[in-house]
């Protein structure tokens, strides 16, 4: 099984500042077709998760450009620029190169 | 508009059986797999299983293999998740979702409570 490890477990961010979340996989998520099967989701309180980023760095429809993803192979980062109150929730990374696995989640709060 | 509409909340006793459903609309049902994700109270997301509506081929997480069964009815565009004997530890919200590499659309979740 591929294990996804997220850090930190929680973040408290001042509005307008930036936040970064790390996600490490136990195996490379780079497929031989050149795609990297790493995704980022946000789950707001009481809601279903929502897709933010596909294949490391591609924002899903309607996702503000304040959200950006980077990384390769086994190390990935989600950056939230100019954090807003509406960004609070739990962020998850997910891999789908071999079955599916979620990271443990990072809770983002506003100071 | 893509929609995944799940069946309503359930309250069951340990040992009882249960089947919950997820009806898809707004897209070609056979082009995307359906997956189920568990969220226990106050905890994170756990991938359970996925199924190809084309031929009902299914993959399971080792953590859930043998404990649940995933199925699909192409004629009604509906996927199912079932238990033959529930345990208190099955208490959770269960989400269905559409998957093709990425999970891009999610159902609203079904709360299952198992209590004596």
């Amino acid at each position: 099984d591929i294990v996804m490890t997220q850090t930190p477990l929680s973040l408290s961010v001042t509005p307008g500042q930036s936040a970064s979340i790390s996600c490490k996989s136990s195996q490379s998520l780079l497929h031989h077709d050149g795609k990297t099967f790493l995704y980022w989701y946000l789950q707001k309180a009481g809601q279903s998760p929502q897709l933010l980023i596909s294949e490391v760095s591609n924002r899903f429809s309607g996702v503000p450009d304040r959200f950006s993803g980077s990384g390769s192979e086994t190390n990935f980062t989600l950056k939230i620029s100019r954090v807003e109150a509406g960004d609070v929730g739990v962020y998850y990374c997910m891999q789908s190169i071999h079955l599916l696995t979620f990271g443990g989640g990072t809770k983002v709060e506003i100071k | 508009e893509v929609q995944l509409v799940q069946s309503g909340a359930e309250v069951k006793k340990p040992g009882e059986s249960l089947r919950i459903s997820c009806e898809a609309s707004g897209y070609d049902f056979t082009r995307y797999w359906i997956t189920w994700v568990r969220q226990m109270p106050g905890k994170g997301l756990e991938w359970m299983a996925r199924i190809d509506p084309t031929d009902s081929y299914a993959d399971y997480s080792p953590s859930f293999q043998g404990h649940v069964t995933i199925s699909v009815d192409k004629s009604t565009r509906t996927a199912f998740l079932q238990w033959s004997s529930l345990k208190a530890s099955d208490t959770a919200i269960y989400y269905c979702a559409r998957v093709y590499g990425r999970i891009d659309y999610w159902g609203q979740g079904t709360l299952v409570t198992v209590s004596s």
Side-chain angles (χ1 to χ4, degrees):
Chain A
D1 291 8
I2 297 179
V3 177
M4 305 294 286
T5 303
Q6 281 182 243
T7 55
L9 289 179
S10 65
L11 274 179
S12 185
V13 188
T14 300
Q17 298 299 304
S18 295
S20 288
I21 300 168
S22 170
C23 177
K24 297 184 189 300
S25 58
S26 59
Q27 300 176 33
S28 175
L29 304 185
L30 174 62
H31 194 264
H32 59 74
D33 66 2
K35 293 182 182 177
T36 301
F37 289 79
L38 185 281
Y39 308 88
W40 289 97
Y41 296 86
L42 164 61
Q43 187 178 31
K44 298 182 180 181
Q47 296 185 17
S48 302
Q50 57 191 82
L51 175 64
L52 296 175
I53 303 282
S54 285
E55 294 174 14
V56 180
S57 60
N58 299 304
R59 280 185 299 278
F60 188 53
S61 175
V63 175
D65 60 8
R66 298 185 299 101
F67 292 88
S68 60
S70 62
S72 62
E73 304 255 7
T74 62
N75 286 281
F76 306 94
T77 300
L78 175 70
K79 182 177 179 181
I80 314 168
S81 302
R82 305 182 301 282
V83 170
E84 300 177 357
D87 299 334
V88 300
V90 182
Y91 291 78
Y92 296 93
C93 60
M94 185 196 84
Q95 69 80 21
S96 66
I97 195 170
H98 175 65
L99 302 180
L100 285 80
T101 318
F102 290 95
T106 297
K107 186 174 185 178
V108 172
E109 301 174 320
I110 296 294
K111 282 184 182 175
Chain B
E1 179 192 7
V2 175
Q3 284 194 309
L4 296 164
V5 179
Q6 298 185 227
S7 49
E10 302 274 1
V11 179
K12 292 289 189 179
K13 290 181 167 49
E16 292 185 332
S17 63
L18 175 65
R19 188 176 78 165
I20 61 175
S21 66
C22 169
E23 183 176 357
S25 62
Y27 70 96
D28 183 344
F29 186 59
T30 59
R31 285 198 61 193
Y32 297 81
W33 292 45
I34 296 289
T35 192
W36 289 92
V37 175
R38 183 175 79 174
Q39 188 165 41
M40 299 177 75
K43 302 298 184 183
L45 304 173
E46 300 174 270
W47 178 70
M48 302 176 69
R50 66 183 178 185
I51 189 165
D52 182 349
T54 301
D55 58 7
S56 294
Y57 173 83
D59 288 317
Y60 292 84
S61 162
S63 299
F64 292 93
Q65 179 88 49
H67 298 291
V68 295
T69 301
I70 188 172
S71 60
V72 67
D73 182 340
K74 273 194 300 186
S75 68
T76 59
R77 303 169 58 89
T78 303
F80 302 95
L81 182 67
Q82 65 183 63
W83 295 258
S84 57
S85 181
L86 287 160
K87 304 175 183 177
S89 57
D90 292 318
T91 294
I93 296 174
Y94 293 87
Y95 294 100
C96 69
R98 182 180 89 161
V99 62
Y100 186 81
R102 68 188 188 186
I103 293 176
D104 55 3
Y105 289 92
W106 299 71
Q108 82 276 21
T110 295
L111 174 62
V112 174
T113 304
V114 184
S115 174
S116 54

